[in-house]
């Protein structure tokens, strides 16, 4: 028997996973393998080297409460202009690199106490890459390198970008790794809008959330027979932009409450548990 945590991308919505982890650890549900994409890769790397306890989840929640937008998305008008006129990115990843490095407890992926696998995308071929060996910090940055926002990350003989481009919730990789129980920690769900998006960014975010949700639904149907899937329900983040880190406290609480309820019902549900 092998249990995986699959942690999806979602930028600032990654705080939801800290609440979900608290609910999992309270029931002494711990992973043998962790698979992460984008911000899920950042959270996955944090827990992979720490005790699988509620205390670790609470500490991760505190990290999220302290994060501010300039630590992840520092806006520089000159760099933004160059991103339009001559560069393929808008934001330098230096601040994000420092934020991750300050909390990373191993140098290489294969040194993680709990086997850790991160998903990125080859910029040139468009192929998914599951990173299981190599420099941990570079791998995390690659998995979280949102295209057009951050610069691609050099990796071996190519460049890598955000894994969420191809597979935002990498259930397929956990199945390929032979895991027969998979807890899925998404960061958002598709939900009705009270009104149409009022900006180009809001419209793009909504469209992306629809695509991500459809892929998740398809993968649940596709892999439900290959493993026992427990998909923890993410709250509807209507009105919260992925660059807005000021809602961490409420998102953590919602992630915890919804996950706790789902896990309490898990034993009463059929093989595929989706709430």
């Amino acid at each position: 028997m092998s249990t995986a945590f699959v942690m999806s991308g979602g930028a600032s919505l990654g705080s939801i996973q800290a609440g979900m982890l608290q609910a999992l650890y309270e029931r002494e549900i711990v992973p043998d393998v962790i698979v992460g994409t984008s911000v899920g890769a950042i959270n996955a790397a944090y827990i992979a080297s720490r005790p699988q306890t509620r205390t670790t989840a609470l500490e991760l929640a505190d990290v999220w409460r302290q994060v501010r937008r300039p630590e992840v998305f520092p806006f520089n008008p000159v760099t933004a202009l160059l991103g339009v006129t001559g560069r393929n990115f808008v934001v330098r990843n230096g601040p994000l690199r420092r934020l991750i490095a300050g909390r990373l407890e191993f140098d290489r992926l294969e040194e993680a106490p709990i086997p850790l696998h991160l998903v990125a995308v080859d910029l040139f071929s468009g192929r998914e890459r599951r990173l299981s060996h190599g420099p941990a910090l570079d791998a995390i940055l690659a998995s979280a390198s949102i295209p057009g926002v951050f610069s691609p990350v050099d990796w071996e003989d190519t460049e890598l970008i955000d894994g969420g481009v191809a597979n935002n919730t990498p259930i397929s990789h956990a199945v390929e790794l032979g895991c027969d129980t998979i807890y899925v920690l998404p960061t958002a769900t598709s939900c009705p809008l009270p009104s149409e998006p009022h900006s180009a960014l809001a419209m793009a975010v909504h469209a992306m959330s629809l695509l991500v949700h459809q892929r998740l639904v398809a993968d649940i149907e596709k892999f439900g027979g290959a493993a026992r899937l427990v998909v923890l329900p993410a709250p509807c983040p209507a009105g919260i932009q992925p660059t807005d880190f000021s809602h961490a406290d409420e998102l953590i609480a919602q992630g915890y409450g919804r996950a706790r309820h789902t896990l309490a019902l898990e034993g009463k549900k059929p093989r595929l548990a989706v709430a």
Side-chain angles (χ1 to χ4, degrees):
M1 299 287 289
S2 181
T3 298
F5 285 1
V6 170
M7 307 180 72
S8 71
S12 67
L13 302 179
S15 58
I16 293 169
Q17 292 173 345
M20 292 175 170
L21 288 166
Q22 182 180 339
L24 286 163
Y25 292 148
E26 282 181 350
R27 298 183 70 86
E28 298 184 343
I29 299 171
V30 299
D32 301 299
V33 174
I34 309 174
V35 185
T37 294
S38 198
V39 74
I42 296 174
N43 285 336
Y46 184 91
I47 67 171
S49 62
R50 291 172 168 83
Q52 300 301 291
T53 64
R54 182 173 179 268
T55 297
T56 290
L58 292 173
E59 291 171 349
L60 178 59
D62 285 340
V63 171
W64 273 103
R65 293 186 182 99
Q66 296 167 20
V67 173
R68 297 294 179 265
R69 185 190 61 76
E71 295 179 89
V72 182
F73 300 111
F75 179 73
N76 182 314
V78 174
T79 303
L81 180 61
L82 288 172
V84 175
T85 62
R87 290 182 179 173
N88 61 5
F89 65 93
V90 172
V91 178
R92 295 188 181 278
N93 65 16
L96 181 59
R97 176 181 285 270
R98 289 190 291 272
L99 181 66
I100 297 170
R103 295 168 175 84
L104 188 61
E105 296 187 337
F106 48 90
D107 294 326
R108 297 182 62 83
L109 291 177
E110 61 268 30
E111 296 172 354
I114 298 177
L116 176 64
H117 306 272
L118 308 181
V119 177
V121 171
D122 188 303
L123 174 65
F124 302 102
S125 71
R127 183 172 63 89
E128 287 180 42
R129 292 281 301 268
R130 183 168 70 230
L131 310 180
S132 306
H133 301 82
L137 182 54
D138 286 344
I140 298 165
L141 283 170
S143 184
S145 184
I146 303 170
V149 177
F150 296 116
S151 60
V153 174
D154 291 335
W155 187 270
E156 298 174 347
D157 60 349
T158 189
E159 296 179 14
L160 300 180
I161 59 174
D162 195 311
V165 171
N167 195 346
N168 196 61
T169 310
I171 296 171
S172 58
H173 290 270
V175 172
E176 289 175 5
L177 290 164
C179 300
D180 46 32
T181 299
I182 300 172
Y183 289 88
V184 183
L185 287 68
T187 58
T189 185
S190 178
C191 50
L193 296 179
S195 60
E196 69 177 39
H198 295 297
S199 70
L201 174 61
M203 180 64 81
V205 169
H206 178 60
M208 182 59 69
S209 70
L210 294 175
L211 290 171
V212 166
H213 181 71
Q214 289 302 314
R215 170 66 188 267
L216 175 58
V217 170
D219 279 359
I220 290 171
E221 182 176 352
K222 180 177 180 179
F223 297 110
R228 176 172 170 266
L229 300 181
V230 182
V231 183
L232 302 182
C236 174
I240 300 178
Q241 298 299 325
T243 56
D244 183 356
F245 292 83
S246 65
H247 298 273
D249 202 48
E250 65 187 82
L251 292 174
I252 292 165
Q254 291 177 22
Y256 168 69
R258 288 169 177 258
R260 188 169 183 267
H261 176 72
T262 295
L263 294 172
L265 297 176
E266 181 191 347
K268 304 176 183 178
K269 293 190 174 185
R271 182 176 175 81
L272 176 62
V274 184

